Amino acid sequence: MPPVAKTKFDRYEFKYLLPQALREKVEAELGHFVDYDPFVASQPDLKYFVRSLYFDDPAYTAFYDKTDGLLSRKKFRLRTYTNNPDEIAPIFLEQKGRHNNRVIKVRTPLAEAARAPIADLESNGGEIAKIIMNHAQSGSVVEKFCYDYYKKNIKPVALIDYQRRPYISKLDSEFRLTFDEQLFATPARSLWLADEFQRKQCVPGYTIMEVKFRYHMPAWFHAVVQAFNLERVSISKIVSGMKTLKIAEDLS
């Protein structure tokens, strides 16, 4: 699992959708300027697994706020780094939002004691939202989650799984770059309770390249963008997943 110490992120995030052949060329060129994140540098596949359970209200407000292009919006998700409930891995409640062009993500950990009731949700008949509220570290994230749960009736809508290969700039540790691939969406009401028969791949044959930085994009990356005629895209993994699963439809 990746390093998990940081709990707040405030930065720009640019995304590019790359077909496989282009991804290989871009990644090879980037090798002159970036190193593997130390966490994956010693791993054979140079990547790690990410799983997120996303929440939305009955009107799918978070979905439509994104597809309508609202400049200020937010969503909640539960994130972990394993698809095995018996594997010890951190679980975070995260609020990810956008204000104008900046992305702000704040997260808080769930106590280890949350793992068993989440894994046993089918037998104990509970709701994962209430488990979260009982086991999340106190603070603004869980308070806002509680508000949306009781006021807006947010519920789990889908799991999003993918493999991530992370890089860090050799010149600026604040500049990070990730390649996310093998993106799958599954209807679910918990981290490990899902209808696997409905699991579907999203954007097959493509990799989502995400560029993350606090202040400015370096000149060398501008040169890479120009060399390969890369175009930024507005793509959301959960929106892609919900559309693939036909949970909601982009009406814009």
Side-chain angles (χ1 to χ4, degrees), residues 111-174:
E112 177 59 30
R115 181 172 303 279
I118 292 175
D120 296 336
L121 200 60
E122 193 74 68
S123 59
N124 64 32
E127 278 190 66
I128 193 168
K130 292 185 178 179
I131 297 173
I132 292 169
M133 290 184 282
N134 288 335
H135 292 89
Q137 190 175 89
S138 62
S140 63
V141 180
V142 70
E143 290 172 0
K144 292 173 182 176
F145 179 82
C146 291
Y147 176 88
D148 278 14
Y149 174 76
Y150 288 109
K151 179 72 173 179
K152 301 180 181 179
N153 195 29
I154 61 171
K155 303 286 186 184
V157 290
L159 283 175
I160 300 295
D161 296 336
Y162 55 91
Q163 298 285 337
R164 167 165 284 182
R165 176 172 291 165
Y167 291 94
I168 301 176
S169 169
K170 295 178 180 180
L171 303 174
D172 178 8
S173 62
E174 294 285 351

Side-chain angles (χ1 to χ4, degrees), residues 43-210:
Q43 297 190 20
D45 55 0
L46 299 168
K47 61 185 72 169
Y48 61 85
F49 175 80
V50 182
R51 166 164 285 189
S52 299
L53 177 69
Y54 284 85
F55 290 76
D56 209 337
D57 61 27
Y60 301 131
T61 299
F63 176 93
Y64 289 113
D65 283 354
K66 167 61 179 177
T67 59
D68 290 345
L70 267 64
L71 294 179
S72 292
R73 56 184 188 265
K74 66 179 175 66
K75 58 195 172 191
F76 286 99
R77 67 190 181 200
L78 202 60
R79 171 159 289 187
T80 191
Y81 302 95
T82 179
N83 57 2
N84 181 357
D86 297 323
E87 181 180 347
I88 302 301
I91 304 173
F92 292 96
L93 173 64
E94 298 185 342
Q95 178 184 313
K96 186 173 184 180
R98 177 178 290 272
H99 183 66
N100 293 325
N101 289 321
R102 291 191 72 85
V103 172
I104 301 170
K105 182 175 78 173
V106 185
R107 65 184 183 183
T108 189
L110 268 63
E112 177 59 30
R115 181 172 303 279
I118 292 175
D120 296 336
L121 200 60
E122 193 74 68
S123 59
N124 64 32
E127 278 190 66
I128 193 168
K130 292 185 178 179
I131 297 173
I132 292 169
M133 290 184 282
N134 288 335
H135 292 89
Q137 190 175 89
S138 62
S140 63
V141 180
V142 70
E143 290 172 0
K144 292 173 182 176
F145 179 82
C146 291
Y147 176 88
D148 278 14
Y149 174 76
Y150 288 109
K151 179 72 173 179
K152 301 180 181 179
N153 195 29
I154 61 171
K155 303 286 186 184
V157 290
L159 283 175
I160 300 295
D161 296 336
Y162 55 91
Q163 298 285 337
R164 167 165 284 182
R165 176 172 291 165
Y167 291 94
I168 301 176
S169 169
K170 295 178 180 180
L171 303 174
D172 178 8
S173 62
E174 294 285 351
F175 183 86
R176 301 178 64 86
L177 189 149
T178 58
F179 287 91
D180 297 338
E181 59 188 342
Q182 300 177 49
L183 178 66
F184 285 88
T186 314
R189 64 185 186 89
S190 185
L191 282 174
W192 300 296
L193 288 180
D195 186 348
E196 295 294 340
F197 293 104
Q198 294 191 53
R199 187 173 190 257
K200 296 184 182 298
Q201 188 169 11
C202 309
V203 292
Y206 287 83
T207 295
I208 300 174
M209 182 177 73
E210 295 189 8

Side-chain angles (χ1 to χ4, degrees), residues 194-238:
D195 186 348
E196 295 294 340
F197 293 104
Q198 294 191 53
R199 187 173 190 257
K200 296 184 182 298
Q201 188 169 11
C202 309
V203 292
Y206 287 83
T207 295
I208 300 174
M209 182 177 73
E210 295 189 8
V211 178
K212 308 167 186 186
F213 57 97
R214 288 197 66 187
Y215 301 112
H216 59 84
M217 186 180 288
W220 63 260
F221 187 77
H222 276 295
V224 173
V225 167
Q226 293 174 345
F228 292 97
N229 294 316
L230 302 182
E231 294 186 7
R232 284 173 54 191
V233 297
S234 177
I235 185 170
S236 161
K237 296 183 179 73
I238 182 57

